[in-house]
Amino acid sequence: MELKTICVFCGSNHGLDPAFITQTEALGRYLASHQQKLVYGGGKEGLMGTIATSTLNAGGQVLGIIPSFLKNMGLALNGLTETIETTNMDERKEEMLRQSDAFIVLPGGFGTYEEFTTMLSWSQINIHQKPIALFNINGYYDDLVAMLQKTIDAGFAPAENLSLFINATSIEGIFDGFDHFHHELPYKYVN
């Protein structure tokens, strides 16, 4: 499957580790140099603004998808290739799913966790078959991955469903994982 559009979920803050910014900038440049359109939440703050600006500055295409109430608060980044306004957050996620071939989850807060778990859950029940990668910069997502393993160990999901996402520590690892990703029809229930 050729990946033409990559959705990036990430924080509306920068976080405290400088690597979050430098790796986000590197990802933006990578997307632009590989002619992969960035799909993201449309914001100007934090890593959201960083990924969009770095992609644009490297000559890439950026689609921002932002709910009207956030745009009305002045949080939208101007100068994007294209912007889609939605009525609410749920519609935003549905539009991101429609517009994207794959998902990368950069460090972020509660909203980023929710976006990741939504796409993971939707993959588990076969709403989509698209690859999802955690960009686990400096171990940021180690505890989340451990919690997902605990979910398996406690009998709330089958072990096979851990293959529905890629845990990568580098940009190369993300796209290598995408190249080898195969969505097996998952089974939600544990035998």
Side-chain angles (χ1 to χ4, degrees), residues 17-25 27 47 104-108 134-142 167-171 174:
D17 186 338
F20 298 155
I21 295 173
T22 58
Q23 289 298 301
T24 298
E25 291 171 337
L27 177 60
L47 295 183
I104 297 173
V105 185
L106 286 166
L134 291 175
F135 193 175
N136 195 1
I137 300 168
N138 288 348
Y140 182 78
Y141 282 119
D142 286 353
N167 180 16
T169 57
S170 67
I171 294 169
I174 291 168

Side-chain angles (χ1 to χ4, degrees), residues 30-60:
Y30 181 96
L31 294 176
S33 69
H34 289 80
Q35 292 80 49
Q36 292 171 310
K37 181 194 287 186
L38 168 66
V39 177
Y40 89 115
K44 66 181 182 180
E45 303 294 338
L47 295 183
M48 292 179 71
T50 301
I51 188 66
T53 302
S54 62
T55 304
L56 289 168
N57 288 346

Side-chain angles (χ1 to χ4, degrees), residues 48-164:
M48 292 179 71
T50 301
I51 188 66
T53 302
S54 62
T55 304
L56 289 168
N57 288 346
Q61 303 288 306
V62 179
L63 167 60
I65 302 174
I66 189 165
S68 298
F69 79 93
L70 291 178
K71 185 177 180 187
N72 294 341
M73 290 170 62
L75 296 175
L77 181 64
N78 295 321
L80 302 179
T81 310
E82 182 183 0
T83 300
I84 296 175
E85 244 181 277
T86 64
T87 57
N88 57 51
M89 299 294 277
D90 289 334
E91 186 182 310
R92 177 203 227 175
K93 287 192 297 287
E94 291 169 3
E95 188 63 29
M96 289 170 135
L97 176 60
R98 274 192 292 278
Q99 295 285 344
S100 305
D101 297 325
F103 304 93
I104 297 173
V105 185
L106 286 166
F110 299 164
T112 305
Y113 301 154
E114 190 263 344
E115 290 162 335
F116 167 65
T117 57
T118 296
M119 292 306 159
L120 183 60
S121 174
W122 287 357
S123 179
Q124 179 178 252
I125 58 176
N126 208 35
I127 290 174
H128 73 86
Q129 300 81 40
K130 301 173 182 182
I132 306 164
L134 291 175
F135 193 175
N136 195 1
I137 300 168
N138 288 348
Y140 182 78
Y141 282 119
D142 286 353
D143 291 337
L144 176 59
V145 172
M147 186 65 214
L148 293 170
Q149 181 62 57
K150 186 173 183 179
T151 304
I152 303 301
D153 296 342
F156 286 104
E160 296 80 7
N161 288 8
L162 287 178
S163 68
L164 296 174

